[in-house]
Amino acid sequence: MDNHSYNYPSDCTPLTNCKSGRKANGSTVVNMGQAADKCPPRDYLLWSLCNTLYVNFCCLGFFALIYSIKARDQKTQGNLQLAQECSDKAKWYNILAAGWNLLVPLLAIVLLVLLLIHLGTSEGSFDFFGEDGFQSFMKLFSW
């Protein structure tokens, strides 16, 4: 680069102090982007996709996915208020879906443990694979 293509004063060259008539302003303002209260809402798309693919009790994960996509669309269109509303709905549907996704396996484990405890404390032996195995098993559930 040659300096003659730029219009610098003769006493002001790049990376040096200028002694010309330009005066320094007392403050410097640096724009770092949007403020914290103006940041765009989250869309929770990955969380919604995981909840949709795993168990998906009562289609809660699918509803979360729909609102996540709506939130992303509204965010790209610049409608941040509607994007925030869709984001909040997606978050709550994801919370409900994740709760159910954790509750169903936990209930299955608890029922299995209770069944094993009941089988261990009941009198007699239960031969599930023998001749009377199914009848012995059904006696557990008869009143």
Side-chain angles (χ1 to χ4, degrees):
M1 277 192 201
D2 50 348
N3 283 341
H4 68 82
S5 63
Y6 298 100
N7 295 326
Y8 292 112
S10 61
D11 63 340
C12 185
T13 58
L15 301 176
T16 61
N17 291 333
C18 291
K19 296 178 179 141
S20 65
R22 289 188 285 168
K23 293 183 178 163
N25 192 357
S27 63
T28 303
V29 177
V30 178
N31 187 6
M32 298 297 287
Q34 296 177 344
D37 59 341
K38 296 285 186 180
C39 63
R42 297 182 60 187
D43 54 14
Y44 305 107
L45 189 63
L46 185 62
W47 189 15
S48 300
L49 191 60
C50 290
N51 279 331
T52 301
L53 296 176
Y54 180 72
V55 181
N56 198 16
F57 180 74
C58 290
C59 296
L60 293 174
F62 185 67
F63 291 144
L65 183 64
I66 289 172
Y67 280 111
S68 295
I69 292 171
K70 277 184 168 183
R72 180 168 281 195
D73 289 344
Q74 294 301 321
K75 188 169 52 171
T76 57
Q77 290 177 358
N79 189 354
L80 295 181
Q81 183 179 3
L82 189 58
Q84 183 64 47
E85 291 174 11
C86 291
S87 174
D88 290 340
K89 287 182 182 181
K91 180 176 77 171
W92 284 108
Y93 277 124
N94 276 319
I95 290 171
L96 289 173
W100 278 110
N101 290 345
L102 292 175
L103 188 65
V104 169
L106 287 176
L107 283 176
I109 290 170
V110 166
L111 288 175
L112 181 66
V113 167
L114 288 175
L115 181 66
L116 291 175
I117 289 172
H118 179 70
L119 287 176
T121 59
S122 59
E123 293 181 13
S125 63
F126 296 100
D127 184 16
F128 291 121
F129 300 109
E131 293 178 12
D132 298 328
F134 183 71
Q135 285 81 17
S136 299
F137 181 71
M138 292 310 290
K139 286 180 186 175
L140 292 173
F141 301 104
S142 63
W143 300 99

